[in-house]
Amino acid sequence: MPKVLTIEDDAVTAREIVAELRSRGNEVDWVDNGRVGLERAVGGGYDAITLDRMLPELDGLALVTALRHAGVQTPVLMISALSDVDERVRGLRAGGDDYLTKPFAPDEMAARIEVLLRRRQPAARETVLRVADLELDLIERSARRGDLALELLPIEFRLLEFLVRNSGQVLTRTMIFEAVWGYHFDPGTNVIDVHIGRLRKKVDPPGLVPLIRTVRGSGYRLAETE
């Protein structure tokens, strides 16, 4: 069972985080103080951490910086009411692995934690990724679906690689946008839906079992079965 540490001084937010993560089968500990959170993070053997940006005694940036200096590489999802791009960059540069702004949907937070937990699983460096009969060669930057070579634009390859690396996982539009395009998601844009639509035509042509699936109200998932 994955073990997650939640460092959050707002009790209402903390309860939402803890309840959502526990409902998905995680063991979750909660502390409401930055200094105590650092002590627990260093010695607790956690698989992932949710970290509030603004905390008493030791703020989130200082905490994650200290964590990395101590050699602790536990994946950290930073959560903050500060939504500007510069703040997000500071959080990631300090050592955070992902950044989520408040207010947030609990399932969005949990989806991000699940992605971080998957990254933590040890694996040999892969040069070829496969899901069903879909194959991506990361060196040649080429893709095939069975015997069919897929002609992908660079952005389409990056998008498909992100889906394949996280196959089976529901990926929200925000997660996809930030991972593939690299900057803050504008909920008013349909750029992801447009690119997913184009990618579907290439990856899931008529006659083949569809791999790219829409999860209504949440995002997308690449999987062999429903």
Side-chain angles (χ1 to χ4, degrees):
M1 177 184 295
K3 188 177 180 183
V4 181
L5 174 64
T6 290
I7 309 174
E8 169 65 63
D9 65 329
D10 180 76
V12 173
T13 301
R15 282 194 292 268
E16 290 179 352
I17 293 172
V18 171
E20 184 68 23
L21 292 178
R22 285 179 177 167
S23 74
R24 296 179 180 234
N26 300 285
E27 177 184 345
V28 188
D29 294 334
W30 167 41
V31 298
D32 60 3
N33 176 287
R35 194 165 302 280
V36 175
L38 177 59
E39 294 173 358
R40 295 288 293 274
V42 170
Y46 292 97
D47 298 299
I49 297 169
T50 71
L51 175 62
D52 187 26
R53 170 66 174 84
M54 306 299 291
L55 291 164
E57 294 198 35
L58 189 69
D59 71 32
L61 288 182
L63 192 157
V64 74
T65 299
L67 205 60
R68 298 312 185 217
H69 285 168
V72 178
Q73 298 304 317
T74 307
V76 173
L77 170 62
M78 298 196 71
I79 300 176
S80 176
L82 305 173
S83 61
D84 62 278
V85 174
D86 289 342
E87 183 61 31
R88 179 175 185 273
V89 170
R90 280 192 290 271
L92 297 177
R93 284 180 176 172
D97 297 274
D98 198 358
Y99 193 95
L100 181 64
T101 57
K102 297 179 180 179
F104 59 86
D107 60 346
E108 168 90 9
M109 175 276 306
R112 288 172 180 258
I113 284 294
E114 288 175 5
V115 167
L116 294 182
L117 289 170
R118 286 170 64 93
R119 289 182 196 168
R120 187 169 172 79
Q121 296 173 356
R125 182 170 179 82
E126 297 173 294
T127 58
V128 177
L129 303 178
R130 295 183 180 87
V131 174
D133 59 348
L134 174 65
E135 180 178 295
L136 271 65
D137 188 311
L138 303 182
I139 295 177
E140 295 183 359
R141 308 300 285 178
S142 62
R144 303 187 65 84
R145 178 85 196 267
D147 296 328
L148 177 65
L150 307 181
E151 297 296 328
L152 303 180
L153 298 174
I155 190 68
E156 292 172 339
F157 188 92
R158 292 200 301 274
L159 175 57
L160 184 57
E161 180 183 351
F162 183 64
L163 293 172
V164 170
R165 284 189 182 277
N166 297 285
S167 61
Q169 170 69 43
V170 176
L171 301 171
T172 67
R173 288 172 175 79
T174 303
M175 293 167 68
I176 294 171
F177 198 88
E178 292 178 356
V180 178
W181 278 264
Y183 49 95
H184 192 66
F185 178 62
D186 176 3
T189 182
N190 69 341
V191 66
I192 292 173
D193 305 284
V194 170
H195 279 82
I196 287 286
R198 292 172 179 168
L199 191 59
R200 265 198 175 117
K201 291 179 181 178
K202 298 179 180 182
V203 174
D204 295 332
L208 295 181
V209 175
L211 295 178
I212 302 174
R213 306 177 186 279
T214 300
V215 181
R216 293 192 182 279
S218 296
Y220 296 97
R221 181 170 66 97
L222 188 140
E224 299 180 53
T225 58
E226 291 290 353

